[in-house]
Amino acid sequence: MPPSHPSDDDRVTEEAADWCLRLQAEEVSDADRAAFERWCRDDPRHAAEFDAMRELWGLSAGLRPRVTAPPAPARPVEAVRSPSVRAPKQRRWALAACVAAVLAVGWPVGWSFGVLPGRVDVFLGGDRHRVVDLPDGSTVDLNVRTTLFYAQFRDRRSVLMDHGEAYFAVASDAARPFTVFTAAHRVRVTGTRFNVWANDGELAVTLAEGAVTVSAAAAAAGEEPLRLTPGQQGRFARDSRFGSVARVDPARVLSWREGKLVFDDITLAEAVPLLNPYLAQPLRLADRRVGAMRIGGVYDVADLDRVVASLPRVLPVTIAAKDGTLLLSAR
């Protein structure tokens, strides 16, 4: 069997992580800085990936080669991991966590300067809903197969959640704002209760209490974020900088915390991403025609495999196993 090679995207991510490390070294040379500038010019993705890696952990502009690194950290990073559970692939987040940990231990960058987190916690989601306590006093309900990285800085709190769903009850601390980063968006709060659902670049944020702002990571300077009030949901489509706001019933959205999914006459295209985390085999839609069909009802999450198997009896569809998925087609 021929050796496997990392994808081009993985290569760019790894190179960005490597530059984050190299540019923090005290002995970084003019040649290193020149090489970094050439690397940025070689491909537009390089600078974008470097900025994304730097932003994920709130690393300051000190990562730019023209800035001198501040003194050594005031205290070491503490790495806390939940029981071992297989987590979804989150390459950039994992690399960012490694970068932050290595920088804090081996490079002269200070927690006291607010450059790196003083604590990093990793919570790995399993096959059932669980509640975790964050070091700042906040609590988070993690839905199935949801992994969360928490970083506590001197002047802010950051969460990375690339994929999945979580309900946050954030401890109020005006001096340290709380930001949730997903693959392409950010949610900013100081103290509030809200739900975040992220799936392959899509985002839905539902506010139960308090106030939040939601924006795309690629938002232009001066572009206003979505501002939500209780009972509102902000949504961003994949690859969109602009979101929409709608009035929803938070109890319906949060029904997953009680082991239920409530579908209020939604399309299969909307329902399938909500169903898939619970299924033994994920559903895949054959085309837009089947995706436009609608479904409603209240379902027990422990019974969803049986519900899916019964779909051909309630909708004009067929189900066939294909490439590790269940292909849903119109008949």
Side-chain angles (χ1 to χ4, degrees):
M1 180 181 294
S4 60
H5 299 282
S7 71
D8 195 44
D9 286 343
D10 286 346
R11 176 189 60 78
V12 172
T13 299
E14 290 173 354
E15 289 177 358
D18 181 62
W19 278 115
C20 281
L21 292 172
R22 290 170 63 183
L23 294 176
Q24 287 299 312
E26 281 187 321
E27 66 274 15
V28 61
S29 66
D30 290 340
D32 290 327
R33 295 185 179 94
F36 172 71
E37 296 297 341
R38 286 196 300 273
W39 178 79
C40 287
R41 290 194 299 267
D42 284 344
D43 188 323
R45 294 176 302 163
H46 291 176
E49 190 71 10
F50 179 86
D51 286 340
M53 184 72 70
R54 181 167 57 89
E55 182 179 274
L56 289 178
W57 285 97
L59 300 179
S60 75
L63 281 178
R64 289 298 188 187
R66 63 179 180 271
V67 179
T68 302
R75 63 178 189 175
V77 166
E78 304 171 33
V80 181
R81 294 181 179 272
S82 60
S84 176
V85 183
R86 183 175 297 275
K89 291 183 179 179
Q90 296 175 297
R91 189 174 190 85
R92 180 186 289 168
W93 308 139
L95 280 170
C98 291
V99 169
V102 172
L103 285 174
V105 173
W107 268 259
V109 181
W111 173 84
S112 61
F113 283 77
V115 177
L116 285 173
R119 177 177 182 135
V120 175
D121 294 79
V122 184
F123 301 95
L124 304 180
D127 294 329
R128 61 180 60 191
H129 160 230
R130 60 185 293 232
V131 180
V132 299
D133 297 317
L134 301 185
D136 68 333
S138 302
T139 59
V140 184
D141 288 54
L142 290 179
N143 207 344
V144 297
R145 297 180 177 86
T146 299
T147 298
L148 182 149
F149 293 82
Y150 173 81
Q152 188 159 291
F153 295 81
R154 180 178 59 81
D155 58 353
R156 63 195 182 279
R157 298 164 286 171
S158 296
V159 165
L160 308 180
M161 194 189 84
D162 189 24
H163 183 93
E165 186 167 27
Y167 173 75
F168 296 84
V170 176
S172 182
D173 186 348
R176 290 190 301 168
F178 191 102
T179 303
V180 179
F181 294 91
T182 66
H185 305 91
R186 62 175 67 90
V187 184
R188 298 183 186 275
V189 302
T190 52
T192 191
R193 297 173 184 269
F194 61 99
N195 193 78
V196 176
W197 176 85
N199 179 64
D200 194 22
E202 295 183 79
L203 179 74
V205 178
T206 306
L207 183 61
E209 179 184 309
V212 302
T213 63
V214 190
S215 59
E223 197 168 285
E224 283 294 314
L226 294 184
R227 300 181 186 277
L228 304 183
T229 59
Q232 289 186 329
Q233 182 181 81
R235 296 192 69 96
F236 282 81
R238 188 179 297 113
D239 300 324
S240 173
R241 295 205 333 256
F242 305 101
S244 61
V245 177
R247 179 67 57 178
V248 298
D249 178 4
R252 179 183 63 80
V253 176
L254 296 172
S255 61
W256 63 267
R257 298 172 66 211
E258 307 299 328
K260 305 290 183 183
L261 285 185
V262 180
F263 294 158
D264 185 14
D265 191 34
I266 63 176
T267 66
L268 284 177
E270 295 171 307
V272 164
L274 301 176
L275 290 166
N276 276 343
Y278 302 98
L279 301 179
Q281 284 186 287
L283 281 171
R284 182 160 56 93
L285 300 175
D287 50 39
R288 292 183 179 180
R289 179 185 170 197
V290 68
M293 295 181 188
R294 307 190 81 83
I295 186 172
V298 180
Y299 304 98
D300 190 321
V301 298
D303 201 31
L304 291 179
D305 282 305
R306 187 187 64 80
V307 170
V308 167
S310 70
L311 282 178
R313 295 199 294 270
V314 295
L315 291 172
V317 298
T318 61
I319 299 178
K322 186 174 182 180
D323 300 328
T325 67
L326 298 176
L327 184 64
L328 201 59
S329 305
R331 67 167 186 256

